[in-house]
Amino acid sequence: MKLFNQHLEKKIGERTQELTDSHKDLEDAFKQIDYSARHDTFSRLPNRRYLEQTIEWKILDSSQSRTMVSLILIDVDRLKHVNDTLGHSVGDQLLLHIIKRIKSCLPEGSFMTRHGGDEFAILIDGIYYDDEIKELTAKIIHSLGPPFHINDKELSITLSIGVSIHPEHGDSVEELMKHVDLAMYKAKEDRKSKVVFYSTEMDEELVGRMELLADLHTAIKREEFLVHYQPQFDIHTGALSGVEALVRWVHPLHGLVSPGEFIPLAEEFDLIIPIDEIVMKTAIQQFNEWEKEGIAPPRLSVNLSPQQFTQGNLSSKISMIWMETRFPAERLVIEITESIAMNNEECLTAQLQEIAVMGIQIAIDDFGTGYSSLSYVKKYPLNQLKLARPFIMDVPANFNDTAMIKAIIDLSHHFNLSVVVKGVETIEQLKFLRTMNCEEVQGFYF
Ligand code: C2E
Ligand code: CA
């Protein structure tokens, strides 16, 4: 009997252990499911769903402590282009580095989540002044300033940051989320890293932007664009040396819309490629007309968005236009600006070389505005360098600018590039530039 009881006790013990183990397995499985449902698998950061729940709790808590809850939305600009041009593995590595740097700026107890591809949110509670958030966002931008080094590539990024704060900007999760989105979009309109706090005027602006976007789709179908031509002059002889084609949108209700208003929108929503094609064709047709009349300028310059290069078939598009119009290739200049999208050096160099082989000239535009680097001058088959307006705004009074202009012009000549100075508005600037050995000038003065 004793033996029987001992056997029974052992069996019960084993069974209890089995039940405990399976209960634990079940609990682990539930925990795993719960974790996956609330986290992003790639970054292991909490996801949007988790964020929404957390905002709700924090709002409840804050009403007792009478503190504020701040939602910060960070979007990494142009990450899509890094993925498109350098591949997803580089994009992924870059994201992990970015997360690490952002995390290093956060105070203890803050909650960072990944919203989707290139969007992160940070929830900060228990704050008394919005200055604390201003300081934090400035710190984040500063920490992401130095370039990243991935697979021997140097990548620089910019951020667009939106902020909404409870109770000032909303009492519910929905309001805070909607308003932080709006603030972030507002920040995106600028090309540099920028922080924008939500304000009520943004609601109206958003409606306006969305309407403009819908109209832009129609404008492309109906080709509602007009091209203006700004002359460029030889600085020594004063002769016309070329014209730059600058697009305007002839909106059926608003009249002429400047490119500054619709190009960023077109770039953001992938509509810039058809617009650039329309402008290029129109300008070339106009140039051919002038040529027939014997009044064509020596050169025609057109602006191309960096996005043209990410598709990798720009040169074949240009050859198609050439087949249709037979324009004199050596009198066409394409103006490009540098951006992170151009970090795919092989792809960009190959495309630029194909364009150069056609005889077309290539200009680097807005040199010195923060996106350009001296190494591009050496690396790419360029013919012309266009110096940005900010450089000459304060000359001849500003000695630093004067020295900089001189250095850039000397360097350009060293690499056989001619220099066009943009934004000349006064006779003083022109007189100063005549002493500077640049080749051409362009601006409102003329
Ligand atoms: P950008 O290439 O730097 O063109 C020069 C801009 O500065 C033009 O503005 C021109 O009107 C303006 N400008 C010229 N001289 C002066 C001056 O002396 N002082 C001042 N303050 N401004 C001057 P716009 O026409 O509004 O074009 C703005 C930008 O839009 C262009 O800057 C270019 O980046 C872009 N853009 C224009 N047309 C096209 C296009 O067909 N395709 C693409 N992708 N971008 C274009
Ligand atoms: Ca230009």
Side-chain angles (χ1 to χ4, degrees):
M1 190 61 179
K2 194 175 165 206
L3 212 63
F4 176 75
N5 279 347
Q6 274 174 352
H7 178 71
L8 197 64
E9 265 170 33
K10 188 171 167 237
K11 276 283 165 213
I12 290 171
E14 281 170 6
R15 185 74 191 120
T16 313
Q17 191 56 48
E18 266 173 36
L19 282 172
T20 316
D21 286 350
S22 76
H23 182 72
K24 202 169 164 299
D25 286 349
L26 214 61
E27 210 175 88
D28 286 348
F30 274 125
K31 272 191 194 153
Q32 186 55 46
I33 292 167
D34 185 49
Y35 180 89
S36 307
R38 300 203 289 166
H39 289 80
D40 164 51
T41 38
F42 169 72
S43 64
R44 305 182 79 83
L45 286 170
N47 60 19
R48 192 184 177 108
R49 197 172 141 210
Y50 198 178
L51 173 73
E52 287 174 358
Q53 292 167 350
T54 315
I55 297 175
E56 212 167 314
W57 301 328
K58 300 283 183 195
I59 288 180
L60 278 175
D61 280 355
S62 71
S63 56
Q64 282 163 7
S65 61
R66 295 188 173 273
T67 52
M68 306 196 276
V69 178
S70 173
L71 182 59
I72 302 171
L73 184 61
I74 302 180
D75 185 282
V76 182
D77 298 327
R78 294 185 162 267
L79 190 75
K80 182 176 174 293
H81 292 289
V82 175
N83 284 329
D84 288 351
T85 55
L86 300 178
H88 283 263
S89 130
V90 173
D92 285 353
Q93 287 181 62
L94 178 63
L95 262 186
L96 292 175
H97 284 288
I98 291 171
I99 294 171
K100 207 167 153 193
R101 287 205 200 164
I102 296 178
K103 273 186 161 174
S104 72
C105 301
L106 300 182
E108 219 170 291
S110 36
F111 188 78
M112 176 171 173
T113 65
R114 183 168 182 227
H115 255 201
D118 48 7
E119 269 186 19
F120 301 97
I122 297 161
L123 193 64
I124 311 272
D125 63 331
I127 48 170
Y128 291 93
Y129 305 101
D130 58 8
D131 277 358
E132 294 177 48
I133 300 303
K134 283 184 189 143
E135 272 169 30
L136 174 64
T137 47
K139 193 171 164 192
I140 292 173
I141 286 184
H142 182 75
S143 82
L144 289 165
F148 296 87
H149 294 97
I150 296 168
N151 295 359
D152 294 335
K153 299 243 179 313
E154 191 179 284
L155 299 173
S156 297
I157 58 131
T158 55
L159 302 176
S160 301
I161 302 185
V163 178
S164 71
I165 298 181
H166 163 79
E168 197 187 339
H169 303 147
D171 282 327
S172 64
V173 177
E174 293 72 31
E175 272 180 328
L176 282 183
M177 298 283 273
K178 190 175 127 204
H179 292 161
V180 83
D181 258 340
L182 276 181
M184 194 276 286
Y185 274 110
K186 189 84 192 124
K188 248 205 180 318
E189 281 170 10
D190 206 334
R191 286 193 187 180
K192 301 194 180 96
S193 284
K194 202 175 160 201
V195 183
V196 173
F197 281 59
Y198 168 76
S199 72
T200 43
E201 297 91 65
M202 285 176 198
D203 294 312
E204 281 168 33
E205 254 186 70
L206 177 78
V207 175
R209 258 168 71 84
M210 290 303 116
E211 280 172 4
L212 206 64
L213 181 63
D215 293 349
L216 198 53
H217 276 103
T218 316
I220 292 169
K221 274 192 218 120
R222 296 194 195 147
E223 301 204 357
E224 291 171 348
F225 299 101
L226 181 71
V227 184
H228 280 181
Y229 300 88
Q230 184 175 42
Q232 297 164 333
F233 296 94
D234 182 308
I235 194 161
H236 303 294
T237 65
L240 180 72
S241 53
V243 292
E244 176 177 356
L246 295 163
V247 68
R248 270 89 187 99
W249 170 13
V250 192
H251 191 283
L253 290 178
H254 308 314
L256 283 195
V257 185
S258 80
E261 275 182 69
F262 70 88
I263 293 227
L265 195 69
E267 285 186 332
E268 190 182 330
F269 291 94
D270 289 335
L271 297 176
I272 190 66
I273 290 177
I275 295 177
D276 276 354
E277 274 175 35
I278 295 171
V279 175
M280 194 187 278
K281 268 193 197 162
T282 312
I284 287 173
Q285 277 160 5
Q286 177 64 71
F287 185 86
N288 284 347
E289 292 289 316
W290 284 330
E291 190 73 342
K292 271 188 224 150
E293 292 169 34
I295 53 164
R299 279 190 333 252
L300 166 72
S301 301
V302 289
N303 290 284
L304 287 186
S305 160
Q307 284 187 15
Q308 297 284 353
F309 293 91
T310 60
Q311 293 202 345
N313 58 356
L314 180 67
S315 46
S316 52
K317 273 194 223 156
I318 295 181
S319 3
M320 295 264 284
I321 298 179
W322 186 80
M323 304 271 263
E324 276 173 37
T325 57
R326 298 277 161 178
F327 62 87
E330 65 292 348
R331 287 167 69 187
L332 179 70
V333 183
I334 60 160
E335 296 194 358
I336 55 167
T337 48
E338 192 273 323
S339 81
I340 190 168
M342 294 191 177
N343 277 313
N344 188 354
E345 283 158 25
E346 295 82 39
C347 177
L348 178 68
T349 313
Q351 290 191 69
L352 289 181
Q353 262 154 6
E354 280 171 30
I355 291 168
V357 165
M358 284 187 240
I360 293 169
Q361 299 194 29
I362 302 163
I364 187 136
D365 200 0
D366 272 338
F367 190 83
T369 47
Y371 287 106
S372 343
S373 138
L374 289 178
S375 60
Y376 294 100
V377 173
K378 211 171 72 180
K379 219 174 290 168
Y380 302 127
L382 303 172
N383 308 86
Q384 199 181 75
L385 182 146
K386 295 192 78 177
L387 199 60
R389 194 171 87 88
F391 276 101
I392 65 147
M393 269 160 69
D394 301 324
V395 295
N398 185 320
F399 286 119
N400 285 344
D401 285 353
T402 309
M404 197 92 96
I405 294 175
K406 193 173 174 338
I408 295 175
I409 293 177
D410 285 350
L411 180 105
S412 305
H413 290 164
H414 179 78
F415 288 104
N416 278 333
L417 302 183
S418 72
V419 179
V420 180
V421 179
K422 296 168 59 166
V424 179
E425 293 183 349
T426 65
I427 182 77
E428 289 74 29
Q429 289 171 333
L430 181 62
K431 277 184 184 159
F432 162 77
L433 288 167
R434 283 211 178 108
T435 66
M436 275 291 117
N437 205 20
C438 64
E439 278 72 26
E440 287 165 63
V441 273
Q442 159 178 13
F444 290 168
Y445 175 72
F446 306 96

